[in-house]
Amino acid sequence: MNNVGSVSADMQDRPEQGPPLWLLAELTYRCPLQCPYCSNPLEFAEHKQELTTAQWIDVFSQARALGAAQLGFSGGEPLVRDDLAELIGAARDMGYYTNLITSGMGLNQARIDQFLDAGLDHIQISFQASDGEVNNMLAGSRKAFDQKLAMARAVKAAGYPMVLNFVTHRHNIDQIEKIIELCLALEADFVELATCQYYGWAHLNRAGLLPTKAQLDHAEAVTNRYRAKLAAEDHPCKLILVMPDYYEDRPKGCMNGWGNIFLTITPDGTALPCHSARQLPVAFPNVSEHSLSHIWYDSFGFNRYRGDDWMQEPCRSCPEKEKDFGGCRCQAYMLTGDATQADPVCSKSPHHHQILAARAEADLPQPPIEALTFRNERTSRIICKS
């Protein structure tokens, strides 16, 4: 792997750009589940190549030398990689804080012990719903819910922080009280109630996933009630509610700015400023061809939307541009076909009507959960051919 050039020299040449602090290693696009809101690219079936163990370790080393401190193992499902414990151990030896982001499918006590020995700091397990029927329907596995419950308990027993993630949408958000109660029963330390963000497969299924405003208001009220109750009891569980920006009038400061803190490496080694950027009409560099120093500081892809020179109006003259960075480039591209446009979430955007239309559409009767397009290789191949 090409690892040329002086990091210190690059940083001296570009003092205005800090190093990447958070590295997301998407080890694979393989996954036993078929969640219809997966953030993997729709055409993931075209991307079969995966970095070797040695290549991943070299990536970790280069990113650590640049300044990265936190490393997330993601996918797909990272547990399908047989070398996961070796990768965790290598990252730990380099001084990373390591986080495994998993569905729990493929996890067992032996692997939990193995990861603990390797120095893994943190395991986050995702659920699809608070009851087995909806969970398993969304996951596409009759065994998923029971497996997740068992592994959540095993992770807690192993001494890890209990971190649970529930992706909420119109088909499960009304279960928010039962979701929180399940998390408390599992003795969760942190719970991320992450309302769908509409990228990848979630964008394809947006009409069937976007909750109504009334559903979101109810979920927020229930969460706040539990927060107050837990605080009064001095309970350690922390509830984190992530709302969809489709019901905001200002965009989120996506990734804290393009190529500013976050660095994602996809299974085949393509380097991205965020996990959704692969869809953009930008040629992103690959770690098999360039050093991470070159990729982060010099490549066209990582410099394309840094700063504000790329901005059009209304972003260019907006006093909030240093706060929200013009919003999300991927969302702007998905909704307008032009990644330099203002994020349509912003009420100042000439394309904001698309967000208003999506909100109105959410109030209409929606087809059942079975009508969603589920993430699987067969569907991905069909999309690739269309």
Side-chain angles (χ1 to χ4, degrees), residues 19-27 55-74 91 94 96-99 101 255 261-266 270-272 287 292 296 302:
L21 300 179
W22 211 104
L23 173 64
L24 181 67
E26 291 186 330
L27 300 180
Q55 287 176 312
W56 273 118
I57 291 173
D58 187 36
V59 167
F60 302 164
S61 178
Q62 291 186 59
R64 189 77 182 101
L66 288 176
Q70 184 160 334
L71 170 55
F73 296 101
S74 177
M94 295 175 197
Y96 280 103
Y97 181 89
T98 53
N99 177 22
I101 304 164
M255 309 306 289
I261 291 176
F262 296 94
L263 170 62
T264 295
I265 307 298
T266 68
T270 300
L272 302 173
V287 297
L292 277 189
W296 183 256
F302 276 76

mmCIF file of all heavy atoms in Angstrom, residues 19-27 55-74 91 94 96-99 101 255 261-266 270-272 287 292 296 302:
data_model
loop_
_atom_site.group_PDB
_atom_site.id
_atom_site.type_symbol
_atom_site.label_atom_id
_atom_site.label_comp_id
_atom_site.label_asym_id
_atom_site.label_seq_id
_atom_site.Cartn_x
_atom_site.Cartn_y
_atom_site.Cartn_z
ATOM 1 N N PRO A 19 -6.406 17.303 11.514
ATOM 2 C CA PRO A 19 -6.347 15.892 11.153
ATOM 3 C C PRO A 19 -7.709 15.221 11.291
ATOM 4 O O PRO A 19 -8.612 15.754 11.949
ATOM 5 C CB PRO A 19 -5.370 15.323 12.181
ATOM 6 C CG PRO A 19 -5.613 16.165 13.395
ATOM 7 C CD PRO A 19 -5.869 17.555 12.874
ATOM 8 N N PRO A 20 -7.864 14.037 10.719
ATOM 9 C CA PRO A 20 -9.072 13.247 10.989
ATOM 10 C C PRO A 20 -8.997 12.721 12.418
ATOM 11 O O PRO A 20 -7.956 12.246 12.857
ATOM 12 C CB PRO A 20 -8.977 12.111 9.967
ATOM 13 C CG PRO A 20 -7.510 11.944 9.721
ATOM 14 C CD PRO A 20 -6.920 13.325 9.845
ATOM 15 N N LEU A 21 -10.103 12.803 13.137
ATOM 16 C CA LEU A 21 -10.116 12.338 14.522
ATOM 17 C C LEU A 21 -10.884 11.022 14.684
ATOM 18 O O LEU A 21 -10.605 10.257 15.590
ATOM 19 C CB LEU A 21 -10.749 13.407 15.436
ATOM 20 C CG LEU A 21 -10.037 14.763 15.450
ATOM 21 C CD1 LEU A 21 -10.773 15.734 16.355
ATOM 22 C CD2 LEU A 21 -8.580 14.611 15.874
ATOM 23 N N TRP A 22 -11.828 10.793 13.808
ATOM 24 C CA TRP A 22 -12.712 9.621 13.928
ATOM 25 C C TRP A 22 -12.623 8.820 12.628
ATOM 26 O O TRP A 22 -12.946 9.319 11.561
ATOM 27 C CB TRP A 22 -14.146 10.087 14.152
ATOM 28 C CG TRP A 22 -15.009 9.175 14.970
ATOM 29 C CD1 TRP A 22 -15.377 9.356 16.257
ATOM 30 C CD2 TRP A 22 -15.637 7.955 14.544
ATOM 31 N NE1 TRP A 22 -16.197 8.317 16.677
ATOM 32 C CE2 TRP A 22 -16.375 7.441 15.638
ATOM 33 C CE3 TRP A 22 -15.651 7.234 13.351
ATOM 34 C CZ2 TRP A 22 -17.110 6.259 15.582
ATOM 35 C CZ3 TRP A 22 -16.375 6.046 13.285
ATOM 36 C CH2 TRP A 22 -17.094 5.578 14.395
ATOM 37 N N LEU A 23 -12.181 7.576 12.745
ATOM 38 C CA LEU A 23 -12.049 6.692 11.592
ATOM 39 C C LEU A 23 -13.137 5.638 11.645
ATOM 40 O O LEU A 23 -13.261 4.906 12.634
ATOM 41 C CB LEU A 23 -10.670 6.028 11.596
ATOM 42 C CG LEU A 23 -10.423 4.933 10.537
ATOM 43 C CD1 LEU A 23 -10.489 5.519 9.126
ATOM 44 C CD2 LEU A 23 -9.077 4.259 10.781
ATOM 45 N N LEU A 24 -13.926 5.547 10.594
ATOM 46 C CA LEU A 24 -14.939 4.500 10.467
ATOM 47 C C LEU A 24 -14.450 3.485 9.445
ATOM 48 O O LEU A 24 -14.269 3.818 8.272
ATOM 49 C CB LEU A 24 -16.276 5.075 10.025
ATOM 50 C CG LEU A 24 -17.416 4.058 9.889
ATOM 51 C CD1 LEU A 24 -17.795 3.483 11.258
ATOM 52 C CD2 LEU A 24 -18.644 4.687 9.235
ATOM 53 N N ALA A 25 -14.226 2.256 9.905
ATOM 54 C CA ALA A 25 -13.769 1.175 9.029
ATOM 55 C C ALA A 25 -14.961 0.317 8.649
ATOM 56 O O ALA A 25 -15.430 -0.504 9.445
ATOM 57 C CB ALA A 25 -12.706 0.339 9.738
ATOM 58 N N GLU A 26 -15.486 0.539 7.448
ATOM 59 C CA GLU A 26 -16.565 -0.322 6.941
ATOM 60 C C GLU A 26 -15.906 -1.586 6.391
ATOM 61 O O GLU A 26 -15.496 -1.619 5.230
ATOM 62 C CB GLU A 26 -17.360 0.408 5.861
ATOM 63 C CG GLU A 26 -18.183 1.558 6.399
ATOM 64 C CD GLU A 26 -19.070 2.181 5.334
ATOM 65 O OE1 GLU A 26 -18.700 2.161 4.143
ATOM 66 O OE2 GLU A 26 -20.126 2.696 5.692
ATOM 67 N N LEU A 27 -15.801 -2.585 7.221
ATOM 68 C CA LEU A 27 -15.000 -3.757 6.874
ATOM 69 C C LEU A 27 -15.582 -4.566 5.732
ATOM 70 O O LEU A 27 -14.850 -5.223 4.987
ATOM 71 C CB LEU A 27 -14.845 -4.651 8.106
ATOM 72 C CG LEU A 27 -14.163 -4.024 9.323
ATOM 73 C CD1 LEU A 27 -14.087 -5.047 10.456
ATOM 74 C CD2 LEU A 27 -12.777 -3.516 8.974
ATOM 75 N N GLN A 55 -3.854 -4.885 4.866
ATOM 76 C CA GLN A 55 -4.211 -3.570 4.334
ATOM 77 C C GLN A 55 -4.981 -2.746 5.358
ATOM 78 O O GLN A 55 -4.736 -1.550 5.529
ATOM 79 C CB GLN A 55 -5.022 -3.729 3.051
ATOM 80 C CG GLN A 55 -4.207 -4.183 1.857
ATOM 81 C CD GLN A 55 -5.080 -4.426 0.634
ATOM 82 O OE1 GLN A 55 -6.115 -5.086 0.712
ATOM 83 N NE2 GLN A 55 -4.651 -3.895 -0.499
ATOM 84 N N TRP A 56 -5.918 -3.381 6.055
ATOM 85 C CA TRP A 56 -6.670 -2.653 7.082
ATOM 86 C C TRP A 56 -5.742 -2.166 8.186
ATOM 87 O O TRP A 56 -5.850 -1.018 8.651
ATOM 88 C CB TRP A 56 -7.771 -3.528 7.669
ATOM 89 C CG TRP A 56 -9.066 -3.495 6.902
ATOM 90 C CD1 TRP A 56 -9.695 -4.530 6.282
ATOM 91 C CD2 TRP A 56 -9.889 -2.333 6.674
ATOM 92 N NE1 TRP A 56 -10.859 -4.101 5.683
ATOM 93 C CE2 TRP A 56 -11.002 -2.758 5.909
ATOM 94 C CE3 TRP A 56 -9.797 -0.996 7.042
ATOM 95 C CZ2 TRP A 56 -12.019 -1.881 5.512
ATOM 96 C CZ3 TRP A 56 -10.801 -0.119 6.638
ATOM 97 C CH2 TRP A 56 -11.901 -0.557 5.884
ATOM 98 N N ILE A 57 -4.823 -3.019 8.609
ATOM 99 C CA ILE A 57 -3.912 -2.622 9.681
ATOM 100 C C ILE A 57 -3.039 -1.451 9.242
ATOM 101 O O ILE A 57 -2.755 -0.533 10.018
ATOM 102 C CB ILE A 57 -3.076 -3.833 10.132
ATOM 103 C CG1 ILE A 57 -3.976 -4.849 10.858
ATOM 104 C CG2 ILE A 57 -1.927 -3.406 11.048
ATOM 105 C CD1 ILE A 57 -3.291 -6.156 11.206
ATOM 106 N N ASP A 58 -2.646 -1.459 7.984
ATOM 107 C CA ASP A 58 -1.867 -0.336 7.459
ATOM 108 C C ASP A 58 -2.700 0.944 7.457
ATOM 109 O O ASP A 58 -2.201 2.032 7.799
ATOM 110 C CB ASP A 58 -1.376 -0.661 6.053
ATOM 111 C CG ASP A 58 -0.410 0.387 5.514
ATOM 112 O OD1 ASP A 58 0.385 0.930 6.305
ATOM 113 O OD2 ASP A 58 -0.460 0.675 4.307
ATOM 114 N N VAL A 59 -3.975 0.835 7.094
ATOM 115 C CA VAL A 59 -4.877 1.995 7.137
ATOM 116 C C VAL A 59 -4.967 2.539 8.559
ATOM 117 O O VAL A 59 -4.866 3.753 8.787
ATOM 118 C CB VAL A 59 -6.279 1.605 6.624
ATOM 119 C CG1 VAL A 59 -7.301 2.697 6.953
ATOM 120 C CG2 VAL A 59 -6.247 1.373 5.116
ATOM 121 N N PHE A 60 -5.154 1.634 9.539
ATOM 122 C CA PHE A 60 -5.241 2.075 10.936
ATOM 123 C C PHE A 60 -3.964 2.816 11.350
ATOM 124 O O PHE A 60 -4.026 3.840 12.029
ATOM 125 C CB PHE A 60 -5.443 0.882 11.864
ATOM 126 C CG PHE A 60 -6.665 0.047 11.594
ATOM 127 C CD1 PHE A 60 -6.781 -1.225 12.130
ATOM 128 C CD2 PHE A 60 -7.708 0.527 10.811
ATOM 129 C CE1 PHE A 60 -7.897 -2.008 11.890
ATOM 130 C CE2 PHE A 60 -8.837 -0.252 10.559
ATOM 131 C CZ PHE A 60 -8.924 -1.520 11.104
ATOM 132 N N SER A 61 -2.825 2.268 10.955
ATOM 133 C CA SER A 61 -1.545 2.862 11.317
ATOM 134 C C SER A 61 -1.394 4.256 10.722
ATOM 135 O O SER A 61 -0.977 5.204 11.409
ATOM 136 C CB SER A 61 -0.406 1.952 10.856
ATOM 137 O OG SER A 61 0.850 2.522 11.151
ATOM 138 N N GLN A 62 -1.728 4.398 9.448
ATOM 139 C CA GLN A 62 -1.624 5.703 8.798
ATOM 140 C C GLN A 62 -2.566 6.725 9.421
ATOM 141 O O GLN A 62 -2.185 7.881 9.657
ATOM 142 C CB GLN A 62 -1.928 5.572 7.309
ATOM 143 C CG GLN A 62 -0.890 4.810 6.513
ATOM 144 C CD GLN A 62 -1.214 4.879 5.025
ATOM 145 O OE1 GLN A 62 -1.285 5.956 4.442
ATOM 146 N NE2 GLN A 62 -1.413 3.720 4.413
ATOM 147 N N ALA A 63 -3.802 6.296 9.699
ATOM 148 C CA ALA A 63 -4.772 7.226 10.287
ATOM 149 C C ALA A 63 -4.347 7.632 11.688
ATOM 150 O O ALA A 63 -4.497 8.795 12.084
ATOM 151 C CB ALA A 63 -6.155 6.579 10.315
ATOM 152 N N ARG A 64 -3.790 6.691 12.435
ATOM 153 C CA ARG A 64 -3.321 7.012 13.790
ATOM 154 C C ARG A 64 -2.174 8.013 13.733
ATOM 155 O O ARG A 64 -2.098 8.943 14.554
ATOM 156 C CB ARG A 64 -2.864 5.732 14.495
ATOM 157 C CG ARG A 64 -2.556 5.920 15.968
ATOM 158 C CD ARG A 64 -3.816 6.007 16.807
ATOM 159 N NE ARG A 64 -3.491 6.240 18.214
ATOM 160 C CZ ARG A 64 -3.559 7.404 18.823
ATOM 161 N NH1 ARG A 64 -3.961 8.485 18.152
ATOM 162 N NH2 ARG A 64 -3.259 7.537 20.093
ATOM 163 N N ALA A 65 -1.298 7.843 12.750
ATOM 164 C CA ALA A 65 -0.186 8.776 12.597
ATOM 165 C C ALA A 65 -0.679 10.184 12.258
ATOM 166 O O ALA A 65 -0.059 11.172 12.646
ATOM 167 C CB ALA A 65 0.769 8.277 11.510
ATOM 168 N N LEU A 66 -1.800 10.257 11.554
ATOM 169 C CA LEU A 66 -2.373 11.560 11.230
ATOM 170 C C LEU A 66 -3.044 12.210 12.430
ATOM 171 O O LEU A 66 -3.230 13.436 12.461
ATOM 172 C CB LEU A 66 -3.400 11.420 10.103
ATOM 173 C CG LEU A 66 -2.852 11.134 8.700
ATOM 174 C CD1 LEU A 66 -3.995 10.930 7.723
ATOM 175 C CD2 LEU A 66 -1.952 12.267 8.229
ATOM 176 N N GLY A 67 -3.471 11.390 13.410
ATOM 177 C CA GLY A 67 -4.114 11.946 14.595
ATOM 178 C C GLY A 67 -5.436 11.317 14.967
ATOM 179 O O GLY A 67 -6.054 11.718 15.957
ATOM 180 N N ALA A 68 -5.912 10.335 14.190
ATOM 181 C CA ALA A 68 -7.179 9.687 14.518
ATOM 182 C C ALA A 68 -7.090 9.003 15.875
ATOM 183 O O ALA A 68 -6.105 8.333 16.179
ATOM 184 C CB ALA A 68 -7.556 8.677 13.435
ATOM 185 N N ALA A 69 -8.126 9.174 16.698
ATOM 186 C CA ALA A 69 -8.110 8.634 18.063
ATOM 187 C C ALA A 69 -9.188 7.590 18.297
ATOM 188 O O ALA A 69 -9.037 6.736 19.165
ATOM 189 C CB ALA A 69 -8.286 9.768 19.068
ATOM 190 N N GLN A 70 -10.283 7.663 17.550
ATOM 191 C CA GLN A 70 -11.385 6.719 17.735
ATOM 192 C C GLN A 70 -11.606 5.946 16.452
ATOM 193 O O GLN A 70 -11.585 6.510 15.352
ATOM 194 C CB GLN A 70 -12.665 7.447 18.140
ATOM 195 C CG GLN A 70 -13.821 6.502 18.441
ATOM 196 C CD GLN A 70 -14.903 7.160 19.276
ATOM 197 O OE1 GLN A 70 -14.644 8.096 20.010
ATOM 198 N NE2 GLN A 70 -16.126 6.651 19.171
ATOM 199 N N LEU A 71 -11.833 4.635 16.593
ATOM 200 C CA LEU A 71 -11.985 3.749 15.444
ATOM 201 C C LEU A 71 -13.245 2.924 15.612
ATOM 202 O O LEU A 71 -13.413 2.197 16.596
ATOM 203 C CB LEU A 71 -10.767 2.827 15.317
ATOM 204 C CG LEU A 71 -10.822 1.675 14.319
ATOM 205 C CD1 LEU A 71 -11.154 2.169 12.917
ATOM 206 C CD2 LEU A 71 -9.479 0.933 14.309
ATOM 207 N N GLY A 72 -14.152 3.046 14.652
ATOM 208 C CA GLY A 72 -15.376 2.264 14.654
ATOM 209 C C GLY A 72 -15.304 1.161 13.626
ATOM 210 O O GLY A 72 -14.933 1.399 12.474
ATOM 211 N N PHE A 73 -15.652 -0.057 14.046
ATOM 212 C CA PHE A 73 -15.734 -1.197 13.126
ATOM 213 C C PHE A 73 -17.189 -1.364 12.714
ATOM 214 O O PHE A 73 -18.062 -1.618 13.549
ATOM 215 C CB PHE A 73 -15.234 -2.474 13.803
ATOM 216 C CG PHE A 73 -13.776 -2.438 14.176
ATOM 217 C CD1 PHE A 73 -13.388 -2.182 15.480
ATOM 218 C CD2 PHE A 73 -12.802 -2.667 13.218
ATOM 219 C CE1 PHE A 73 -12.047 -2.153 15.832
ATOM 220 C CE2 PHE A 73 -11.445 -2.632 13.553
ATOM 221 C CZ PHE A 73 -11.079 -2.375 14.866
ATOM 222 N N SER A 74 -17.436 -1.225 11.402
ATOM 223 C CA SER A 74 -18.799 -1.199 10.911
ATOM 224 C C SER A 74 -18.911 -2.057 9.659
ATOM 225 O O SER A 74 -17.982 -2.757 9.275
ATOM 226 C CB SER A 74 -19.204 0.262 10.649
ATOM 227 O OG SER A 74 -20.479 0.353 10.102
ATOM 228 N N ALA A 91 -5.547 -2.422 16.367
ATOM 229 C CA ALA A 91 -5.977 -1.046 16.621
ATOM 230 C C ALA A 91 -5.736 -0.653 18.070
ATOM 231 O O ALA A 91 -5.312 0.471 18.370
ATOM 232 C CB ALA A 91 -7.453 -0.896 16.266
ATOM 233 N N MET A 94 -2.252 0.263 18.809
ATOM 234 C CA MET A 94 -1.882 1.581 18.302
ATOM 235 C C MET A 94 -2.406 2.707 19.177
ATOM 236 O O MET A 94 -2.058 3.870 18.960
ATOM 237 C CB MET A 94 -2.425 1.759 16.876
ATOM 238 C CG MET A 94 -1.836 0.828 15.853
ATOM 239 S SD MET A 94 -2.675 1.035 14.248
ATOM 240 C CE MET A 94 -2.177 -0.482 13.405
ATOM 241 N N TYR A 96 -5.888 3.291 19.779
ATOM 242 C CA TYR A 96 -7.242 3.714 19.456
ATOM 243 C C TYR A 96 -8.225 3.370 20.571
ATOM 244 O O TYR A 96 -8.066 2.355 21.270
ATOM 245 C CB TYR A 96 -7.748 2.998 18.197
ATOM 246 C CG TYR A 96 -7.279 3.541 16.882
ATOM 247 C CD1 TYR A 96 -6.282 2.897 16.161
ATOM 248 C CD2 TYR A 96 -7.867 4.678 16.324
ATOM 249 C CE1 TYR A 96 -5.865 3.366 14.921
ATOM 250 C CE2 TYR A 96 -7.457 5.157 15.088
ATOM 251 C CZ TYR A 96 -6.456 4.501 14.390
ATOM 252 O OH TYR A 96 -6.058 4.970 13.182
ATOM 253 N N TYR A 97 -9.277 4.179 20.691
ATOM 254 C CA TYR A 97 -10.490 3.762 21.397
ATOM 255 C C TYR A 97 -11.336 3.062 20.343
ATOM 256 O O TYR A 97 -11.665 3.646 19.308
ATOM 257 C CB TYR A 97 -11.241 4.963 21.969
ATOM 258 C CG TYR A 97 -12.490 4.559 22.725
ATOM 259 C CD1 TYR A 97 -12.430 4.275 24.088
ATOM 260 C CD2 TYR A 97 -13.715 4.432 22.083
ATOM 261 C CE1 TYR A 97 -13.564 3.891 24.787
ATOM 262 C CE2 TYR A 97 -14.848 4.049 22.766
ATOM 263 C CZ TYR A 97 -14.770 3.774 24.127
ATOM 264 O OH TYR A 97 -15.893 3.374 24.812
ATOM 265 N N THR A 98 -11.688 1.798 20.595
ATOM 266 C CA THR A 98 -12.326 0.979 19.563
ATOM 267 C C THR A 98 -13.774 0.689 19.891
ATOM 268 O O THR A 98 -14.140 0.413 21.034
ATOM 269 C CB THR A 98 -11.568 -0.345 19.381
ATOM 270 O OG1 THR A 98 -11.424 -0.997 20.657
ATOM 271 C CG2 THR A 98 -10.196 -0.103 18.775
ATOM 272 N N ASN A 99 -14.596 0.728 18.838
ATOM 273 C CA ASN A 99 -16.041 0.575 18.967
ATOM 274 C C ASN A 99 -16.541 -0.388 17.899
ATOM 275 O O ASN A 99 -16.279 -0.177 16.711
ATOM 276 C CB ASN A 99 -16.705 1.954 18.810
ATOM 277 C CG ASN A 99 -18.221 1.892 18.863
ATOM 278 O OD1 ASN A 99 -18.798 0.944 19.391
ATOM 279 N ND2 ASN A 99 -18.864 2.906 18.311
ATOM 280 N N ILE A 101 -19.708 -1.753 15.996
ATOM 281 C CA ILE A 101 -21.090 -1.397 15.674
ATOM 282 C C ILE A 101 -21.705 -2.595 14.969
ATOM 283 O O ILE A 101 -21.356 -2.905 13.826
ATOM 284 C CB ILE A 101 -21.133 -0.142 14.775
ATOM 285 C CG1 ILE A 101 -20.392 1.013 15.449
ATOM 286 C CG2 ILE A 101 -22.570 0.252 14.465
ATOM 287 C CD1 ILE A 101 -20.051 2.156 14.514
ATOM 288 N N MET A 255 -21.595 16.055 9.553
ATOM 289 C CA MET A 255 -20.251 15.542 9.802
ATOM 290 C C MET A 255 -19.324 16.617 10.365
ATOM 291 O O MET A 255 -18.111 16.524 10.252
ATOM 292 C CB MET A 255 -19.634 14.964 8.513
ATOM 293 C CG MET A 255 -20.505 13.955 7.770
ATOM 294 S SD MET A 255 -21.069 12.586 8.805
ATOM 295 C CE MET A 255 -19.561 11.676 9.052
ATOM 296 N N ILE A 261 -13.436 16.220 10.300
ATOM 297 C CA ILE A 261 -13.115 15.364 11.431
ATOM 298 C C ILE A 261 -13.209 13.887 11.076
ATOM 299 O O ILE A 261 -12.392 13.078 11.497
ATOM 300 C CB ILE A 261 -14.060 15.667 12.616
ATOM 301 C CG1 ILE A 261 -13.757 17.048 13.209
ATOM 302 C CG2 ILE A 261 -13.930 14.603 13.705
ATOM 303 C CD1 ILE A 261 -14.712 17.451 14.319
ATOM 304 N N PHE A 262 -14.210 13.528 10.254
ATOM 305 C CA PHE A 262 -14.545 12.129 10.006
ATOM 306 C C PHE A 262 -13.909 11.594 8.730
ATOM 307 O O PHE A 262 -13.884 12.274 7.692
ATOM 308 C CB PHE A 262 -16.063 11.968 9.916
ATOM 309 C CG PHE A 262 -16.771 12.293 11.198
ATOM 310 C CD1 PHE A 262 -17.270 13.563 11.432
ATOM 311 C CD2 PHE A 262 -16.945 11.333 12.184
ATOM 312 C CE1 PHE A 262 -17.920 13.879 12.613
ATOM 313 C CE2 PHE A 262 -17.592 11.631 13.369
ATOM 314 C CZ PHE A 262 -18.086 12.906 13.590
ATOM 315 N N LEU A 263 -13.443 10.366 8.824
ATOM 316 C CA LEU A 263 -12.846 9.667 7.685
ATOM 317 C C LEU A 263 -13.430 8.266 7.635
ATOM 318 O O LEU A 263 -13.331 7.509 8.600
ATOM 319 C CB LEU A 263 -11.321 9.601 7.837
ATOM 320 C CG LEU A 263 -10.550 8.709 6.872
ATOM 321 C CD1 LEU A 263 -10.726 9.188 5.428
ATOM 322 C CD2 LEU A 263 -9.065 8.675 7.237
ATOM 323 N N THR A 264 -14.051 7.933 6.511
ATOM 324 C CA THR A 264 -14.630 6.604 6.303
ATOM 325 C C THR A 264 -13.836 5.872 5.241
ATOM 326 O O THR A 264 -13.519 6.441 4.188
ATOM 327 C CB THR A 264 -16.101 6.713 5.852
ATOM 328 O OG1 THR A 264 -16.882 7.296 6.893
ATOM 329 C CG2 THR A 264 -16.676 5.345 5.520
ATOM 330 N N ILE A 265 -13.518 4.604 5.522
ATOM 331 C CA ILE A 265 -12.896 3.742 4.518
ATOM 332 C C ILE A 265 -13.870 2.609 4.220
ATOM 333 O O ILE A 265 -14.306 1.899 5.131
ATOM 334 C CB ILE A 265 -11.552 3.163 5.014
ATOM 335 C CG1 ILE A 265 -10.616 4.285 5.492
ATOM 336 C CG2 ILE A 265 -10.894 2.355 3.898
ATOM 337 C CD1 ILE A 265 -10.220 5.276 4.434
ATOM 338 N N THR A 266 -14.235 2.456 2.960
ATOM 339 C CA THR A 266 -15.199 1.434 2.561
ATOM 340 C C THR A 266 -14.503 0.084 2.415
ATOM 341 O O THR A 266 -13.266 0.002 2.439
ATOM 342 C CB THR A 266 -15.858 1.817 1.227
ATOM 343 O OG1 THR A 266 -14.879 1.741 0.178
ATOM 344 C CG2 THR A 266 -16.440 3.225 1.276
ATOM 345 N N THR A 270 -11.979 2.533 -0.714
ATOM 346 C CA THR A 270 -12.313 3.893 -1.115
ATOM 347 C C THR A 270 -12.462 4.762 0.131
ATOM 348 O O THR A 270 -13.121 4.375 1.091
ATOM 349 C CB THR A 270 -13.618 3.920 -1.930
ATOM 350 O OG1 THR A 270 -13.459 3.111 -3.095
ATOM 351 C CG2 THR A 270 -13.968 5.336 -2.361
ATOM 352 N N ALA A 271 -11.825 5.915 0.112
ATOM 353 C CA ALA A 271 -11.860 6.831 1.258
ATOM 354 C C ALA A 271 -12.930 7.885 1.015
ATOM 355 O O ALA A 271 -12.998 8.492 -0.057
ATOM 356 C CB ALA A 271 -10.500 7.496 1.443
ATOM 357 N N LEU A 272 -13.777 8.114 2.038
ATOM 358 C CA LEU A 272 -14.901 9.035 1.911
ATOM 359 C C LEU A 272 -14.946 9.989 3.106
ATOM 360 O O LEU A 272 -14.590 9.607 4.222
ATOM 361 C CB LEU A 272 -16.222 8.261 1.856
ATOM 362 C CG LEU A 272 -16.400 7.225 0.751
ATOM 363 C CD1 LEU A 272 -17.701 6.458 0.978
ATOM 364 C CD2 LEU A 272 -16.407 7.885 -0.620
ATOM 365 N N VAL A 287 -7.232 3.812 -0.801
ATOM 366 C CA VAL A 287 -6.036 3.649 0.015
ATOM 367 C C VAL A 287 -5.012 2.712 -0.616
ATOM 368 O O VAL A 287 -3.845 2.706 -0.206
ATOM 369 C CB VAL A 287 -6.396 3.147 1.427
ATOM 370 C CG1 VAL A 287 -7.264 4.155 2.157
ATOM 371 C CG2 VAL A 287 -7.073 1.774 1.377
ATOM 372 N N LEU A 292 -2.903 7.904 3.165
ATOM 373 C CA LEU A 292 -3.988 8.634 3.818
ATOM 374 C C LEU A 292 -3.653 10.105 3.983
ATOM 375 O O LEU A 292 -4.543 10.956 3.969
ATOM 376 C CB LEU A 292 -4.297 8.016 5.176
ATOM 377 C CG LEU A 292 -5.228 6.798 5.203
ATOM 378 C CD1 LEU A 292 -5.606 6.464 6.636
ATOM 379 C CD2 LEU A 292 -6.482 7.038 4.379
ATOM 380 N N TRP A 296 -6.291 12.764 2.703
ATOM 381 C CA TRP A 296 -6.933 13.707 3.616
ATOM 382 C C TRP A 296 -6.613 15.158 3.279
ATOM 383 O O TRP A 296 -7.500 16.013 3.279
ATOM 384 C CB TRP A 296 -6.508 13.393 5.051
ATOM 385 C CG TRP A 296 -7.174 14.266 6.073
ATOM 386 C CD1 TRP A 296 -6.624 15.325 6.739
ATOM 387 C CD2 TRP A 296 -8.516 14.178 6.548
ATOM 388 N NE1 TRP A 296 -7.534 15.893 7.603
ATOM 389 C CE2 TRP A 296 -8.706 15.206 7.505
ATOM 390 C CE3 TRP A 296 -9.579 13.315 6.271
ATOM 391 C CZ2 TRP A 296 -9.922 15.392 8.173
ATOM 392 C CZ3 TRP A 296 -10.787 13.503 6.937
ATOM 393 C CH2 TRP A 296 -10.948 14.529 7.864
ATOM 394 N N PHE A 302 -11.651 15.075 -1.039
ATOM 395 C CA PHE A 302 -11.735 15.584 0.320
ATOM 396 C C PHE A 302 -11.681 17.104 0.384
ATOM 397 O O PHE A 302 -12.070 17.695 1.397
ATOM 398 C CB PHE A 302 -10.648 14.954 1.187
ATOM 399 C CG PHE A 302 -11.046 13.620 1.734
ATOM 400 C CD1 PHE A 302 -11.033 12.489 0.923
ATOM 401 C CD2 PHE A 302 -11.462 13.481 3.036
ATOM 402 C CE1 PHE A 302 -11.426 11.252 1.403
ATOM 403 C CE2 PHE A 302 -11.858 12.251 3.539
ATOM 404 C CZ PHE A 302 -11.843 11.128 2.717
#
